[in-house]
Amino acid sequence: MNRRPNYDNPTECRIRNKTLSVSLYTIPDNEIQAAAALLRAGETVAFPTETVYGLGADATNPRAVRKIFEIKGRPIYHPLIVHIAAASQLPVWTQKIPDAAWRLATAFWPGPLTLILQRSSQVPNEVTGGQDTVGLRVPDHPIATALLRAFGGGIAAPSANRFGQVSPTTAQHVHDKLGSKVSMLLDGGPCRIGVESTIVSLTDEEAVLLRPGGLSIEAIEDTLNKKILLAQAAAPKVRVSGMLDSHYAPTTPIEIHPTEKLWHRAHQLAKLGYKVAVLKLSDDNKCINSDEIKIFQMPLLANEYGRNFYATLHHIDHANFDRLLAEAPPTTHEWVALHDRMRRAAHSGALLK
Ligand code: TXA
Ligand code: MG
C-alpha cells in the first residue's frame, strides 16, 4: 500500500510547473481514498501541507495516535495538532470558541496558523498530552484538503520527522527519515512555505504566541487589533515541543555568525581540516568555493529563504559536512520565524540573539 515515488525515474514525477519555484502535484482520487481508508483502519499516512509534511493518524483513535509517537520517537506528553477541513468543524473539537478564534480562523484558514483552544470531550488524551487544550489547524494544500474531506474527521499530525530533527519539506525527506514505518506517503512536491505554522494560544484572556511560523505576528495583531503576548512573557502553562532549545536540529553542528565574522570563521575551520558549508545571504564575494568550503547562496527574501531552509539543511546533512555556518539574517519582522528555527537548530542556543 506504500506510495513511494521513484525519484530517479522522471516518468514518476508529477506535473511540474517550471515557471514557479514550487511544483504543482496532483494525486489521483483512488490514492486519496486509499489513504483515507488507511486512516480509518488506524494506520498512519504522511501527507503534504503548505508548511511541512505531516505524519497523520485518526485524531479520535488513541491506538493510531500512539503509532505517531512510536514512529517519531517523540515523548508522549508532547501534544499534536489536529488538522481539520474547515473552521466549521471547530465546535467538534473545542468546547469554547472565543471571538478571537473565529476572527483569526476567518482571516487565515486555510493557512499556516494553529490555534490552541479548550478541548472538547471528543479529543483523546493521547492527542493533547493530557492537557485540557487542543491545537487546531486547517492546512492550505490541495492534497491535505482532499485527504481531510475523504477521511471526514480530524487528522492528528506532527511534522513527519524523527523527534528533534529537521522537519521534512519534500516527500523524499519523509521517505529518507521514516521510510517503511509509515503506511502511506502522499507526494505533494516541495512545501510552499517550508516553515511550520504559527501557534497562538487563545485559552486565556490574552492571545499568546507559542511559536512564530509561516504567518506573521503583525498579520495576527492587525486582525485582533491588539498586541499578542510572547510565550516567554506569559507564564507558560502549556508544553510545546517546538519550544525546546535543541529542536529542529540537523546532525551537522550549526553556528550563526554576522556577515563580518562569517568568512574568518569559515577559514579558521577549514585550516583545521573541517569541511564547511556556508549559508550565505550577503552578496560580498570575499569567500569563494574551495575544497574545504562550499557556499550555499540563500534567497534574500524571507519567504523564499524559508521555503529552502530545511531542504538545504537536509542536503547538507546528507553531504557529510563537519560544520554549517549560517550568515545571520536581517532582524526585520519577516525573519522572526527563521531566526527562531536557526537559533534552535544551532547546537548552542546562545549563538543568535
Ligand atoms: O505547520 C505545522 O504546524 C506542521 C504541519 C504538519 O501542520 N505541524 C507541526 O506539528 O509542526 P509539530 O507536532 O511538529 O509541532 C506542533 C507544535 C508542537 O510543538 C506541540 O507541542 C504544539 O504544536 N502543540 C500542539 N498542541 C498543543 C497544545 N494543546 N498546547 C500547546 N502546544 C501544542
Ligand atoms: Mg515538529
Side-chain angles (χ1 to χ4, degrees), residues 49 51-54 72 74 78-81 83 114 116 127-128 131 133-135 137 157-159 161 195-197 199 210-211 238-243 248:
T49 79
T51 57
V52 300
Y53 275 70
K72 271 187 75 88
R74 177 160 162 163
H78 284 293
L80 305 177
I81 296 171
H83 296 70
T114 296
I116 308 294
V127 169
T128 69
Q131 301 184 75
T133 58
V134 61
R137 167 165 126 76
S159 50
N161 53 285
V195 174
E196 300 85 349
S197 61
I199 304 181
L210 298 183
R211 178 177 74 181
V238 284
R239 291 184 291 265
V240 187
S241 61
M243 301 294 280
Y248 311 106

mmCIF file of all heavy atoms in Angstrom, residues 49 51-54 72 74 78-81 83 114 116 127-128 131 133-135 137 157-159 161 195-197 199 210-211 238-243 248, ligand 1:
data_model
loop_
_atom_site.group_PDB
_atom_site.id
_atom_site.type_symbol
_atom_site.label_atom_id
_atom_site.label_comp_id
_atom_site.label_asym_id
_atom_site.label_seq_id
_atom_site.Cartn_x
_atom_site.Cartn_y
_atom_site.Cartn_z
ATOM 1 N N THR A 49 1.577 19.498 3.548
ATOM 2 C CA THR A 49 0.792 20.706 3.829
ATOM 3 C C THR A 49 1.598 21.866 3.244
ATOM 4 O O THR A 49 2.698 21.659 2.723
ATOM 5 C CB THR A 49 0.559 20.949 5.343
ATOM 6 O OG1 THR A 49 1.733 21.529 5.923
ATOM 7 C CG2 THR A 49 0.186 19.668 6.083
ATOM 8 N N THR A 51 3.085 24.046 4.883
ATOM 9 C CA THR A 51 4.223 24.377 5.753
ATOM 10 C C THR A 51 5.296 23.289 5.651
ATOM 11 O O THR A 51 6.360 23.517 5.077
ATOM 12 C CB THR A 51 3.754 24.530 7.211
ATOM 13 O OG1 THR A 51 3.094 23.319 7.626
ATOM 14 C CG2 THR A 51 2.828 25.729 7.374
ATOM 15 N N VAL A 52 4.983 22.120 6.214
ATOM 16 C CA VAL A 52 5.891 20.966 6.163
ATOM 17 C C VAL A 52 5.027 19.717 6.014
ATOM 18 O O VAL A 52 3.804 19.798 6.131
ATOM 19 C CB VAL A 52 6.769 20.866 7.447
ATOM 20 C CG1 VAL A 52 7.630 22.111 7.633
ATOM 21 C CG2 VAL A 52 5.917 20.629 8.692
ATOM 22 N N TYR A 53 5.648 18.573 5.766
ATOM 23 C CA TYR A 53 4.876 17.326 5.681
ATOM 24 C C TYR A 53 4.445 16.893 7.085
ATOM 25 O O TYR A 53 5.189 17.059 8.056
ATOM 26 C CB TYR A 53 5.713 16.209 5.041
ATOM 27 C CG TYR A 53 5.654 16.225 3.529
ATOM 28 C CD1 TYR A 53 6.275 17.240 2.805
ATOM 29 C CD2 TYR A 53 4.943 15.259 2.820
ATOM 30 C CE1 TYR A 53 6.205 17.283 1.417
ATOM 31 C CE2 TYR A 53 4.870 15.282 1.433
ATOM 32 C CZ TYR A 53 5.496 16.294 0.730
ATOM 33 O OH TYR A 53 5.415 16.334 -0.633
ATOM 34 N N GLY A 54 3.224 16.351 7.174
ATOM 35 C CA GLY A 54 2.709 15.864 8.449
ATOM 36 C C GLY A 54 2.644 14.345 8.467
ATOM 37 O O GLY A 54 2.529 13.701 7.423
ATOM 38 N N LYS A 72 7.832 8.580 15.489
ATOM 39 C CA LYS A 72 8.653 9.795 15.646
ATOM 40 C C LYS A 72 9.700 9.670 16.754
ATOM 41 O O LYS A 72 10.662 10.432 16.788
ATOM 42 C CB LYS A 72 7.741 10.993 16.000
ATOM 43 C CG LYS A 72 7.209 11.741 14.802
ATOM 44 C CD LYS A 72 6.483 12.997 15.239
ATOM 45 C CE LYS A 72 7.380 14.118 15.672
ATOM 46 N NZ LYS A 72 7.840 15.011 14.622
ATOM 47 N N ARG A 74 8.844 10.370 19.738
ATOM 48 C CA ARG A 74 8.503 11.600 20.468
ATOM 49 C C ARG A 74 7.924 11.271 21.836
ATOM 50 O O ARG A 74 7.105 10.357 21.956
ATOM 51 C CB ARG A 74 7.457 12.356 19.640
ATOM 52 C CG ARG A 74 6.901 13.629 20.259
ATOM 53 C CD ARG A 74 6.309 14.453 19.134
ATOM 54 N NE ARG A 74 5.405 15.472 19.578
ATOM 55 C CZ ARG A 74 5.049 16.500 18.807
ATOM 56 N NH1 ARG A 74 5.518 16.618 17.591
ATOM 57 N NH2 ARG A 74 4.231 17.402 19.247
ATOM 58 N N HIS A 78 4.037 15.331 24.600
ATOM 59 C CA HIS A 78 4.040 16.480 23.683
ATOM 60 C C HIS A 78 2.809 16.427 22.793
ATOM 61 O O HIS A 78 2.639 15.494 22.010
ATOM 62 C CB HIS A 78 5.294 16.471 22.807
ATOM 63 C CG HIS A 78 6.508 16.909 23.544
ATOM 64 N ND1 HIS A 78 6.679 18.193 24.008
ATOM 65 C CD2 HIS A 78 7.606 16.231 23.929
ATOM 66 C CE1 HIS A 78 7.831 18.281 24.640
ATOM 67 N NE2 HIS A 78 8.412 17.110 24.611
ATOM 68 N N PRO A 79 1.932 17.429 22.886
ATOM 69 C CA PRO A 79 0.654 17.365 22.175
ATOM 70 C C PRO A 79 0.791 17.496 20.662
ATOM 71 O O PRO A 79 1.773 18.022 20.155
ATOM 72 C CB PRO A 79 -0.121 18.561 22.743
ATOM 73 C CG PRO A 79 0.924 19.484 23.286
ATOM 74 C CD PRO A 79 2.081 18.633 23.708
ATOM 75 N N LEU A 80 -0.232 16.990 19.952
ATOM 76 C CA LEU A 80 -0.252 17.029 18.489
ATOM 77 C C LEU A 80 -1.299 18.027 18.002
ATOM 78 O O LEU A 80 -2.301 18.257 18.671
ATOM 79 C CB LEU A 80 -0.620 15.653 17.932
ATOM 80 C CG LEU A 80 0.210 14.458 18.374
ATOM 81 C CD1 LEU A 80 -0.368 13.181 17.751
ATOM 82 C CD2 LEU A 80 1.661 14.630 17.955
ATOM 83 N N ILE A 81 -1.077 18.555 16.809
ATOM 84 C CA ILE A 81 -2.071 19.430 16.175
ATOM 85 C C ILE A 81 -3.111 18.553 15.474
ATOM 86 O O ILE A 81 -2.766 17.585 14.798
ATOM 87 C CB ILE A 81 -1.387 20.351 15.139
ATOM 88 C CG1 ILE A 81 -0.404 21.298 15.840
ATOM 89 C CG2 ILE A 81 -2.432 21.132 14.340
ATOM 90 C CD1 ILE A 81 0.486 22.087 14.872
ATOM 91 N N HIS A 83 -5.633 18.430 12.484
ATOM 92 C CA HIS A 83 -5.916 19.109 11.219
ATOM 93 C C HIS A 83 -7.365 18.849 10.844
ATOM 94 O O HIS A 83 -7.827 17.709 10.885
ATOM 95 C CB HIS A 83 -4.967 18.602 10.125
ATOM 96 C CG HIS A 83 -3.524 18.916 10.406
ATOM 97 N ND1 HIS A 83 -2.821 18.291 11.408
ATOM 98 C CD2 HIS A 83 -2.673 19.798 9.839
ATOM 99 C CE1 HIS A 83 -1.578 18.784 11.449
ATOM 100 N NE2 HIS A 83 -1.467 19.702 10.505
ATOM 101 N N THR A 114 -1.973 27.783 13.720
ATOM 102 C CA THR A 114 -2.560 26.796 14.636
ATOM 103 C C THR A 114 -3.116 27.526 15.845
ATOM 104 O O THR A 114 -2.425 28.369 16.438
ATOM 105 C CB THR A 114 -1.486 25.777 15.084
ATOM 106 O OG1 THR A 114 -1.046 25.042 13.932
ATOM 107 C CG2 THR A 114 -2.037 24.806 16.115
ATOM 108 N N ILE A 116 -4.666 27.267 19.671
ATOM 109 C CA ILE A 116 -4.786 26.420 20.855
ATOM 110 C C ILE A 116 -6.040 26.863 21.611
ATOM 111 O O ILE A 116 -6.162 28.027 22.002
ATOM 112 C CB ILE A 116 -3.545 26.548 21.777
ATOM 113 C CG1 ILE A 116 -2.238 26.315 20.996
ATOM 114 C CG2 ILE A 116 -3.674 25.608 22.974
ATOM 115 C CD1 ILE A 116 -2.020 24.932 20.445
ATOM 116 N N VAL A 127 -3.782 12.784 22.172
ATOM 117 C CA VAL A 127 -3.544 13.904 21.261
ATOM 118 C C VAL A 127 -3.037 15.131 22.021
ATOM 119 O O VAL A 127 -2.158 15.853 21.545
ATOM 120 C CB VAL A 127 -4.850 14.262 20.485
ATOM 121 C CG1 VAL A 127 -4.704 15.582 19.736
ATOM 122 C CG2 VAL A 127 -5.208 13.141 19.521
ATOM 123 N N THR A 128 -3.568 15.353 23.206
ATOM 124 C CA THR A 128 -3.277 16.605 23.921
ATOM 125 C C THR A 128 -2.152 16.459 24.928
ATOM 126 O O THR A 128 -1.826 17.437 25.611
ATOM 127 C CB THR A 128 -4.530 17.092 24.667
ATOM 128 O OG1 THR A 128 -4.789 16.175 25.732
ATOM 129 C CG2 THR A 128 -5.727 17.194 23.752
ATOM 130 N N GLN A 131 -3.262 17.451 28.387
ATOM 131 C CA GLN A 131 -3.652 18.834 28.700
ATOM 132 C C GLN A 131 -5.131 19.048 28.359
ATOM 133 O O GLN A 131 -5.728 18.278 27.611
ATOM 134 C CB GLN A 131 -2.814 19.812 27.878
ATOM 135 C CG GLN A 131 -1.323 19.661 28.137
ATOM 136 C CD GLN A 131 -0.525 20.708 27.376
ATOM 137 O OE1 GLN A 131 -0.492 21.861 27.738
ATOM 138 N NE2 GLN A 131 0.121 20.278 26.315
ATOM 139 N N THR A 133 -6.258 21.399 26.598
ATOM 140 C CA THR A 133 -6.339 22.236 25.398
ATOM 141 C C THR A 133 -6.031 21.391 24.161
ATOM 142 O O THR A 133 -5.464 20.301 24.267
ATOM 143 C CB THR A 133 -5.311 23.382 25.461
ATOM 144 O OG1 THR A 133 -4.013 22.803 25.603
ATOM 145 C CG2 THR A 133 -5.609 24.329 26.614
ATOM 146 N N VAL A 134 -6.411 21.911 22.997
ATOM 147 C CA VAL A 134 -6.113 21.200 21.751
ATOM 148 C C VAL A 134 -5.644 22.213 20.703
ATOM 149 O O VAL A 134 -6.142 23.346 20.654
ATOM 150 C CB VAL A 134 -7.346 20.412 21.253
ATOM 151 C CG1 VAL A 134 -8.537 21.318 20.955
ATOM 152 C CG2 VAL A 134 -7.002 19.566 20.031
ATOM 153 N N GLY A 135 -4.678 21.787 19.887
ATOM 154 C CA GLY A 135 -4.198 22.628 18.774
ATOM 155 C C GLY A 135 -4.962 22.271 17.513
ATOM 156 O O GLY A 135 -5.097 21.084 17.182
ATOM 157 N N ARG A 137 -5.856 23.250 13.249
ATOM 158 C CA ARG A 137 -5.385 23.987 12.076
ATOM 159 C C ARG A 137 -6.067 23.448 10.828
ATOM 160 O O ARG A 137 -6.277 22.237 10.695
ATOM 161 C CB ARG A 137 -3.867 23.807 11.984
ATOM 162 C CG ARG A 137 -3.234 24.223 10.684
ATOM 163 C CD ARG A 137 -1.729 24.332 10.891
ATOM 164 N NE ARG A 137 -0.958 23.545 9.939
ATOM 165 C CZ ARG A 137 -0.751 23.881 8.673
ATOM 166 N NH1 ARG A 137 -1.261 24.999 8.189
ATOM 167 N NH2 ARG A 137 -0.031 23.114 7.875
ATOM 168 N N ALA A 157 -1.578 15.303 13.435
ATOM 169 C CA ALA A 157 -0.335 15.185 12.650
ATOM 170 C C ALA A 157 0.729 16.160 13.134
ATOM 171 O O ALA A 157 0.570 17.370 13.036
ATOM 172 C CB ALA A 157 -0.611 15.443 11.162
ATOM 173 N N PRO A 158 1.829 15.599 13.642
ATOM 174 C CA PRO A 158 3.019 16.434 13.848
ATOM 175 C C PRO A 158 3.806 16.473 12.541
ATOM 176 O O PRO A 158 3.434 15.802 11.568
ATOM 177 C CB PRO A 158 3.788 15.645 14.912
ATOM 178 C CG PRO A 158 3.465 14.218 14.588
ATOM 179 C CD PRO A 158 2.058 14.201 14.018
ATOM 180 N N SER A 159 4.878 17.230 12.504
ATOM 181 C CA SER A 159 5.760 17.181 11.339
ATOM 182 C C SER A 159 6.306 15.755 11.213
ATOM 183 O O SER A 159 6.568 15.085 12.219
ATOM 184 C CB SER A 159 6.897 18.193 11.500
ATOM 185 O OG SER A 159 7.512 18.040 12.765
ATOM 186 N N ASN A 161 8.917 13.972 10.913
ATOM 187 C CA ASN A 161 10.349 13.753 11.119
ATOM 188 C C ASN A 161 10.544 13.049 12.451
ATOM 189 O O ASN A 161 9.635 13.018 13.276
ATOM 190 C CB ASN A 161 11.089 15.098 11.150
ATOM 191 C CG ASN A 161 10.472 16.063 12.143
ATOM 192 O OD1 ASN A 161 9.398 16.623 11.879
ATOM 193 N ND2 ASN A 161 11.107 16.239 13.295
ATOM 194 N N VAL A 195 8.268 26.368 6.503
ATOM 195 C CA VAL A 195 8.466 26.567 7.943
ATOM 196 C C VAL A 195 7.114 26.274 8.591
ATOM 197 O O VAL A 195 6.068 26.562 7.995
ATOM 198 C CB VAL A 195 8.904 28.022 8.241
ATOM 199 C CG1 VAL A 195 8.967 28.287 9.735
ATOM 200 C CG2 VAL A 195 10.261 28.310 7.604
ATOM 201 N N GLU A 196 7.128 25.695 9.805
ATOM 202 C CA GLU A 196 5.881 25.272 10.430
ATOM 203 C C GLU A 196 4.935 26.447 10.711
ATOM 204 O O GLU A 196 5.332 27.607 10.692
ATOM 205 C CB GLU A 196 6.171 24.540 11.759
ATOM 206 C CG GLU A 196 7.015 23.297 11.629
ATOM 207 C CD GLU A 196 8.510 23.582 11.615
ATOM 208 O OE1 GLU A 196 8.918 24.753 11.491
ATOM 209 O OE2 GLU A 196 9.280 22.614 11.724
ATOM 210 N N SER A 197 3.698 26.069 11.066
ATOM 211 C CA SER A 197 2.668 27.083 11.316
ATOM 212 C C SER A 197 2.995 27.935 12.548
ATOM 213 O O SER A 197 3.717 27.505 13.448
ATOM 214 C CB SER A 197 1.315 26.395 11.528
ATOM 215 O OG SER A 197 1.377 25.543 12.658
ATOM 216 N N ILE A 199 1.865 29.337 16.007
ATOM 217 C CA ILE A 199 0.921 28.801 17.014
ATOM 218 C C ILE A 199 0.524 29.912 17.990
ATOM 219 O O ILE A 199 1.376 30.556 18.609
ATOM 220 C CB ILE A 199 1.544 27.638 17.809
ATOM 221 C CG1 ILE A 199 2.016 26.532 16.852
ATOM 222 C CG2 ILE A 199 0.543 27.078 18.809
ATOM 223 C CD1 ILE A 199 2.624 25.316 17.542
ATOM 224 N N LEU A 210 2.900 31.089 20.849
ATOM 225 C CA LEU A 210 3.708 29.978 21.359
ATOM 226 C C LEU A 210 4.839 29.611 20.411
ATOM 227 O O LEU A 210 5.850 29.062 20.833
ATOM 228 C CB LEU A 210 2.826 28.754 21.596
ATOM 229 C CG LEU A 210 1.708 28.905 22.625
ATOM 230 C CD1 LEU A 210 0.980 27.586 22.805
ATOM 231 C CD2 LEU A 210 2.248 29.387 23.969
ATOM 232 N N ARG A 211 4.622 29.861 19.111
ATOM 233 C CA ARG A 211 5.683 29.549 18.145
ATOM 234 C C ARG A 211 5.525 30.474 16.950
ATOM 235 O O ARG A 211 4.467 30.486 16.330
ATOM 236 C CB ARG A 211 5.562 28.089 17.693
ATOM 237 C CG ARG A 211 6.609 27.685 16.650
ATOM 238 C CD ARG A 211 6.524 26.206 16.270
ATOM 239 N NE ARG A 211 5.388 25.914 15.413
ATOM 240 C CZ ARG A 211 5.068 24.691 14.955
ATOM 241 N NH1 ARG A 211 5.799 23.657 15.324
ATOM 242 N NH2 ARG A 211 4.030 24.513 14.185
ATOM 243 N N VAL A 238 1.555 25.681 29.059
ATOM 244 C CA VAL A 238 1.419 24.636 28.056
ATOM 245 C C VAL A 238 2.797 24.138 27.653
ATOM 246 O O VAL A 238 3.786 24.849 27.769
ATOM 247 C CB VAL A 238 0.704 25.183 26.798
ATOM 248 C CG1 VAL A 238 -0.770 25.319 27.055
ATOM 249 C CG2 VAL A 238 1.311 26.492 26.357
ATOM 250 N N ARG A 239 2.806 22.892 27.184
ATOM 251 C CA ARG A 239 4.069 22.331 26.723
ATOM 252 C C ARG A 239 4.076 22.345 25.203
ATOM 253 O O ARG A 239 3.170 21.837 24.570
ATOM 254 C CB ARG A 239 4.208 20.896 27.220
ATOM 255 C CG ARG A 239 4.397 20.786 28.713
ATOM 256 C CD ARG A 239 4.617 19.340 29.088
ATOM 257 N NE ARG A 239 3.410 18.553 28.901
ATOM 258 C CZ ARG A 239 2.562 18.300 29.860
ATOM 259 N NH1 ARG A 239 2.764 18.766 31.071
ATOM 260 N NH2 ARG A 239 1.486 17.566 29.623
ATOM 261 N N VAL A 240 5.096 22.910 24.662
ATOM 262 C CA VAL A 240 5.221 22.951 23.206
ATOM 263 C C VAL A 240 6.585 22.400 22.859
ATOM 264 O O VAL A 240 7.597 23.012 23.166
ATOM 265 C CB VAL A 240 5.104 24.399 22.672
ATOM 266 C CG1 VAL A 240 5.067 24.403 21.164
ATOM 267 C CG2 VAL A 240 3.877 25.088 23.240
ATOM 268 N N SER A 241 6.620 21.233 22.231
ATOM 269 C CA SER A 241 7.925 20.619 21.993
ATOM 270 C C SER A 241 8.795 21.500 21.110
ATOM 271 O O SER A 241 10.000 21.522 21.224
ATOM 272 C CB SER A 241 7.764 19.236 21.369
ATOM 273 O OG SER A 241 7.107 19.323 20.127
ATOM 274 N N GLY A 242 8.174 22.255 20.203
ATOM 275 C CA GLY A 242 8.938 23.153 19.348
ATOM 276 C C GLY A 242 9.634 24.246 20.135
ATOM 277 O O GLY A 242 10.428 25.003 19.593
ATOM 278 N N MET A 243 9.295 24.377 21.425
ATOM 279 C CA MET A 243 9.935 25.402 22.238
ATOM 280 C C MET A 243 11.233 24.894 22.860
ATOM 281 O O MET A 243 11.946 25.649 23.499
ATOM 282 C CB MET A 243 9.000 25.866 23.366
ATOM 283 C CG MET A 243 7.678 26.433 22.885
ATOM 284 S SD MET A 243 7.885 27.954 21.964
ATOM 285 C CE MET A 243 8.064 29.109 23.332
ATOM 286 N N TYR A 248 14.535 21.109 16.085
ATOM 287 C CA TYR A 248 14.817 21.395 14.683
ATOM 288 C C TYR A 248 16.303 21.282 14.373
ATOM 289 O O TYR A 248 16.830 21.991 13.523
ATOM 290 C CB TYR A 248 14.324 22.795 14.274
ATOM 291 C CG TYR A 248 12.912 23.085 14.688
ATOM 292 C CD1 TYR A 248 12.635 23.940 15.743
ATOM 293 C CD2 TYR A 248 11.854 22.487 14.017
ATOM 294 C CE1 TYR A 248 11.328 24.195 16.126
ATOM 295 C CE2 TYR A 248 10.550 22.734 14.391
ATOM 296 C CZ TYR A 248 10.297 23.591 15.451
ATOM 297 O OH TYR A 248 9.019 23.837 15.824
HETATM 298 O O1 TXA B 1 2.926 23.559 10.272
HETATM 299 C C1 TXA B 1 2.721 22.795 11.215
HETATM 300 O O2 TXA B 1 2.299 23.182 12.313
HETATM 301 C C2 TXA B 1 3.016 21.304 10.983
HETATM 302 C C3 TXA B 1 2.070 20.765 9.924
HETATM 303 C C4 TXA B 1 2.232 19.282 9.727
HETATM 304 O O3 TXA B 1 0.766 21.109 10.266
HETATM 305 N N1 TXA B 1 2.889 20.567 12.204
HETATM 306 C C5 TXA B 1 3.782 20.668 13.196
HETATM 307 O O4 TXA B 1 3.488 19.794 14.219
HETATM 308 O O5 TXA B 1 4.719 21.423 13.178
HETATM 309 P P1 TXA B 1 4.539 19.510 15.410
HETATM 310 O O6 TXA B 1 3.896 18.491 16.273
HETATM 311 O O7 TXA B 1 5.846 19.164 14.828
HETATM 312 O O8 TXA B 1 4.550 20.866 16.139
HETATM 313 C C6 TXA B 1 3.348 21.327 16.696
HETATM 314 C C7 TXA B 1 3.596 22.031 17.969
HETATM 315 C C8 TXA B 1 4.300 21.170 18.973
HETATM 316 O O9 TXA B 1 5.390 21.909 19.460
HETATM 317 C C9 TXA B 1 3.259 20.944 20.027
HETATM 318 O O10 TXA B 1 3.813 20.857 21.310
HETATM 319 C C10 TXA B 1 2.348 22.150 19.877
HETATM 320 O O11 TXA B 1 2.316 22.373 18.498
HETATM 321 N N2 TXA B 1 1.003 21.894 20.367
HETATM 322 C C11 TXA B 1 0.090 21.044 19.879
HETATM 323 N N3 TXA B 1 -0.994 21.027 20.656
HETATM 324 C C12 TXA B 1 -0.775 21.885 21.659
HETATM 325 C C13 TXA B 1 -1.500 22.292 22.803
HETATM 326 N N4 TXA B 1 -2.679 21.793 23.094
HETATM 327 N N5 TXA B 1 -0.939 23.201 23.622
HETATM 328 C C14 TXA B 1 0.284 23.708 23.346
HETATM 329 N N6 TXA B 1 1.027 23.348 22.302
HETATM 330 C C15 TXA B 1 0.513 22.455 21.462
#
